[in-house]
């Protein structure tokens, strides 16, 4: 697929021929329709679907969709930004045939993510997946690649009602929770595996009715695609079991909430993991430290992408393993940037950075683009990491925290938006259209919840993500 130029007729013909072969295979597997998704700036996965008989044309010419979704809010209302919003215009969803996957939990359906193009065949300037691809290419031009994975936490409720009724009652991380929903958790694991994903682990989590699944790391855009597939598979398996899944940052106002942690590792052109084998602290190489330093320096602005909802800041609180402080540390689950070495002897494959501040309200493509841009900026300036933090940063005396530059991250969405708008790296990487549109959507959500208390915020967001 042409990314930055015009889709030419020869390419359309090639895509049509490929789709014909795929459609024949899907028909033999009982597939009738293909769901094609994109994720809006509020983190909601939106969809258009075509019958299998129209897959060939959809592959060549795309599926029509309004650009209005660039300014949709989580409640399906819409803002109007300088470069986006309103009723005029049309785009084309160009599905990624390489990621087309029959859906185990939705018999008769297949899924594919899409890039959004203009009708003239050029990339839509506000397409988040294309932005992430561009950042991957910019990093590759410097001789680097990144492996990425998203952790997925979700809570499961009994029945279809809007109140949250935990589907299990056992202790946090307890085997009892696995026993209570044994068939369900097995079905989630098996469905993901049958769809070509590698499940690294799956287990009960801390919050009421909460589970977590981790999948293998892959290229950054692929990781974002996989996150969409994992979440929608879990949602479908839940519905078939008479349960209801939520990925919301906060499910109960007094609860812990669902995180959306991201794992990243930087690799060079020789296939070496630059988070290991170096002479720096904990084996970091100079490029690995610089990449990490770029992430740490821009965490407040990155919250506008990775912690993007009003409800996100009900979760992002100190001493809750949410990463509420801009600091880093070895295996420190209270630091926003946790450095993971893996078991002794396994660092070359396992060493990575975990960013803990983010949640599932994020558009994963926007977040990947922001993380890569921040890391690339760190590489460009040879960023250095400060002294690592080996305790809960909330427990540091004020003078020591100041000396070590350990800062609390913004405690509300408005602070993150201001940091994002003021950041020159994101201004250059995203461009004025994206910066204005993202900021407009965030401010519109802030206004939407103006005056609401935590219970009201949670009630209105619980089932949106």
């Amino acid at each position: 697929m042409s990314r930055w130029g015009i889709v030419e007729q020869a390419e359309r013909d090639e895509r049509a021929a490929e789709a014909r072969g795929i459609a024949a295979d899907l028909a033999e597997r009982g597939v009738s329709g293909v769901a094609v998704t994109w994720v809006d700036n509020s983190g909601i996965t939106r969809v258009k679907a075509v019958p299998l008989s129209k897959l060939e044309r959809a592959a060549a010419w795309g599926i029509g969709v309004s650009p209005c979704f660039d300014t949709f809010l989580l409640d399906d209302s819409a803002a109007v930004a300088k470069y986006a919003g309103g009723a005029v215009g049309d785009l084309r969803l160009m599905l990624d045939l390489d990621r087309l996957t029959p859906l185990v939990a939705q018999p008769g359906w297949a899924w594919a993510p899409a890039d959004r193009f203009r009708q003239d065949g050029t990339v839509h300037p506000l397409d988040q997946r294309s932005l992430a691809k561009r950042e991957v290419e910019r990093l590759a031009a410097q001789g680097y690649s990144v492996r990425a994975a998203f952790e997925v936490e979700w809570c499961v409720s009994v029945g279809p009602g809007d109140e949250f009724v935990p589907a299990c009652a056992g202790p946090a991380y307890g085997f009892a929770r696995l026993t209570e929903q044994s068939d369900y958790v097995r079905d989630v694991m098996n469905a993901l595996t049958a769809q070509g994903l590698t499940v690294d682990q799956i287990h009960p989590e801390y919050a009421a009715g909460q589970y977590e699944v981790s999948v293998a790391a892959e290229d950054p855009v692929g990781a974002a695609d996989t996150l969409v597939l994992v979440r929608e598979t879990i949602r479908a398996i839940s519905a078939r079991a008479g349960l209801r899944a939520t990925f919301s940052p906060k499910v109960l106002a007094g609860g812990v909430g669902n995180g959306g942690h991201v794992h990243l590792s930087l690799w060079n052109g020789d296939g070496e993991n630059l988070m290991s084998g170096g002479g720096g602290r904990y084996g970091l190489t100079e490029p690995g430290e610089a990449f990490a330093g770029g992430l740490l320096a821009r965490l407040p602005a990155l919250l506008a992408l990775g912690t993007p909802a009003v409800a996100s800041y009900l979760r992002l609180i100190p001493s809750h393993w949410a990463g509420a402080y801009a600091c880093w540390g070895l295996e420190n689950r209270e630091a926003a940037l946790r450095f993971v070495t893996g078991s002794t002897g396994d660092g070359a494959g396992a060493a990575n950075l975990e960013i803990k501040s983010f949640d599932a309200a994020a558009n994963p493509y926007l977040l990947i683009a922001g993380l890569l841009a921040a890391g690339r900026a760190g590489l460009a300036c040879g960023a250095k990491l400060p002294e690592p933090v080996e305790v809960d940063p909330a427990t540091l005396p004020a003078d020591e925290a100041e000396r070590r530059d350990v800062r609390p991250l913004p405690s509300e969405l408005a602070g993150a938006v201001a940091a994002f708008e003021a950041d020159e790296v994101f201004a250059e990487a995203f461009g004025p259209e994206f910066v204005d549109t993202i900021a407009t959507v965030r401010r519109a959500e802030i206004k939407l919840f103006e005056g609401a208390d935590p219970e009201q915020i949670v009630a209105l967001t619980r089932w949106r993500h």
Side-chain angles (χ1 to χ4, degrees):
M1 170 62 63
S2 298
R3 291 174 183 166
W4 321 126
I6 296 177
V7 182
E8 302 290 353
Q9 185 59 49
E11 186 177 3
R12 295 188 190 277
D13 293 342
E14 182 179 338
R15 286 174 57 80
E18 183 180 0
R20 276 197 299 275
I22 292 172
D25 176 67
L26 291 176
E28 291 182 0
R29 302 173 68 172
V31 171
S32 302
V34 179
V36 181
T37 61
W38 74 104
V39 183
D40 69 19
N41 289 315
S42 291
I44 306 295
T45 299
R46 308 287 180 176
V47 65
K48 286 287 190 87
V50 294
L52 194 58
S53 62
K54 294 295 183 180
L55 180 62
E56 180 180 339
R57 179 168 179 81
W61 295 99
I63 302 166
V65 63
S66 170
C68 70
F69 293 101
D70 286 321
T71 58
F72 260 44
L73 306 185
L74 82 170
D75 70 339
D76 299 333
S77 64
V80 177
K82 183 177 181 180
Y83 302 97
V88 179
D90 199 48
L91 301 173
R92 312 301 296 177
L93 294 173
M94 302 298 289
L95 68 160
D96 187 334
L97 293 170
D98 291 336
R99 282 304 304 251
L100 202 151
T101 304
L103 296 174
V104 171
Q106 295 171 254
W109 286 95
W111 161 87
D115 302 304
R116 292 180 299 158
F117 279 65
R118 290 167 164 165
Q119 288 180 313
D120 65 3
T122 59
V123 174
H124 176 42
L126 288 170
D127 181 59
Q128 302 92 342
R129 193 169 186 262
S130 296
L131 176 67
K133 289 181 180 179
R134 187 170 71 207
E135 283 303 315
V136 169
E137 292 184 358
R138 295 180 77 176
L139 199 59
Q142 298 178 14
Y144 299 107
S145 63
V146 163
R147 304 288 289 172
F150 290 83
E151 293 182 8
V152 180
E153 295 179 350
W154 78 101
C155 294
V156 192
S157 180
V158 176
D162 287 342
E163 293 301 316
F164 181 76
V165 181
C168 55
Y173 309 102
F175 201 130
R177 287 196 189 182
L178 190 60
T179 302
E180 290 175 87
Q181 292 295 342
S182 181
D183 291 349
Y184 167 71
V185 177
R186 178 207 61 209
D187 288 348
V188 169
M189 181 173 61
N190 288 347
L192 296 176
T193 301
Q195 291 170 175
L197 304 180
T198 299
V199 176
D200 284 343
Q201 60 177 317
I202 187 166
H203 60 269
E205 252 288 347
Y206 187 88
Q210 190 178 46
Y211 296 91
E212 178 184 316
V213 64
S214 299
V215 295
E218 56 188 307
D219 73 275
V221 176
D225 291 336
T226 293
L227 176 63
V228 173
L229 179 57
V230 169
R231 287 201 306 227
E232 298 311 317
T233 299
I234 290 170
R235 204 186 312 274
I237 291 286
S238 302
R240 292 174 70 85
L243 305 172
R244 194 173 186 187
T246 172
F247 305 90
S248 175
K250 204 72 165 178
V251 180
L252 296 170
V256 172
N258 290 313
H261 307 165
V262 184
H263 291 259
L264 300 172
S265 55
L266 183 72
W267 298 69
N268 65 18
D270 295 325
E272 297 170 329
N273 184 357
L274 298 175
M275 300 303 171
S276 177
R281 279 166 294 195
Y282 314 128
L284 274 168
T285 65
E286 288 188 11
E289 179 175 358
F291 186 84
L295 298 177
L296 183 59
R298 289 186 157 75
L299 272 175
L302 281 166
L303 293 191
L305 307 175
T307 315
V310 170
S312 298
Y313 296 83
L314 300 177
R315 170 191 166 270
L316 190 66
I317 54 179
S319 302
H320 280 65
W321 289 20
Y325 281 81
C327 61
W328 79 293
L330 177 64
E331 300 292 4
N332 188 342
R333 288 175 170 81
E334 278 295 346
L337 197 61
R338 171 194 173 208
F339 185 60
V340 182
T341 60
S343 299
T344 302
D346 192 30
N352 69 88
L353 301 166
E354 180 189 20
I355 303 95
K356 298 186 65 65
S357 311
F358 306 142
D359 61 54
N363 178 311
Y365 305 103
L366 277 183
L367 181 51
I368 283 294
L371 289 167
L372 297 188
R376 183 168 51 80
L379 287 165
C381 71
K384 299 294 183 182
L385 287 168
E387 180 183 348
V389 175
E390 298 174 346
V391 298
D392 179 349
T395 67
L396 290 174
D399 58 344
E400 184 179 352
E402 183 176 0
R403 177 183 65 79
R404 298 172 65 174
D405 196 27
V406 175
R407 295 162 288 115
L409 289 168
S411 60
E412 57 184 18
L413 182 54
V417 174
F420 176 72
E421 287 185 295
D423 193 285
E424 71 282 358
V425 167
F426 297 130
E428 185 277 331
F430 282 53
E433 294 94 342
F434 259 121
V435 171
D436 177 78
T437 303
I438 292 166
T440 297
V441 170
R442 301 289 178 265
R443 290 202 174 95
E445 179 167 327
I446 292 169
K447 184 173 179 57
L448 180 69
F449 289 106
E450 191 172 29
D453 63 29
E455 293 283 355
Q456 293 169 317
I457 294 169
V458 168
L460 290 170
T461 60
R462 181 181 290 132
W463 303 113
R464 304 306 294 174
H465 296 99

